[in-house]
Amino acid sequence: MIPQPIELTLLDPDTLQISWSDEIVIRYTIRELRENCPCATCIEKRSKPAPTELMPILKPEETQPLAITRMEPQGRYAYAIDFSDGHNTGLFTLDLLRELGEVQA
Ligand SMILES: [Zn+2]
């Protein structure tokens, strides 16, 4: 059986910490979670090379610190995460959450 999260903590607005039932503690930056969003739109976006002919820009949402505005379990296998840039279609499975982040010693 896959370990379950037993505690979610926002250490600061940029850092989420999850304590798991097998006593593993993993820290994630919100940016990392956002960049690994598993929804179809984001997967498609990541699979395309970024256009290089344009002058680089900062979109309004990229000038704001990214935060999690909501994180709720979906059944027993995933979390729905709402990000402060308005993106909320990603379902983060527990398997994915175990792959991301940095395990704390
Ligand atoms: Zn997404």
Side-chain angles (χ1 to χ4, degrees):
M1 178 171 151
I2 151 162
Q4 299 285 313
I6 52 175
E7 190 176 22
L8 305 177
T9 314
L10 272 180
L11 297 177
D12 58 58
D14 299 324
T15 313
L16 172 71
Q17 178 170 289
I18 302 181
S19 304
W20 296 81
S21 56
D22 58 355
E23 296 183 358
I24 299 277
V25 174
I26 307 180
R27 281 185 194 169
Y28 312 81
T29 65
I30 308 307
R31 180 68 58 188
E32 178 188 12
L33 292 171
R34 179 68 181 83
E35 286 173 356
N36 286 282
C37 175
C39 82
T41 310
C42 290
I43 287 173
E44 197 189 324
K45 232 183 247 173
R46 286 198 296 271
S47 71
K48 287 187 196 146
T52 51
E53 72 273 22
L54 298 171
M55 298 270 284
I57 59 163
L58 272 179
K59 294 184 206 130
E61 66 266 26
E62 290 171 340
T63 66
Q64 303 293 323
L66 192 63
I68 285 179
T69 56
R70 191 182 64 103
M71 181 162 177
E72 283 184 4
Q74 300 290 304
R76 294 184 63 80
Y77 71 97
Y79 274 99
I81 300 182
D82 289 11
F83 293 96
S84 58
D85 64 357
H87 194 69
N88 64 0
T89 48
L91 261 192
F92 289 75
T93 62
L94 300 184
D95 284 338
L96 176 61
L97 289 169
R98 293 286 290 201
E99 282 168 25
L100 301 174
E102 202 167 294
V103 176
Q104 302 300 296

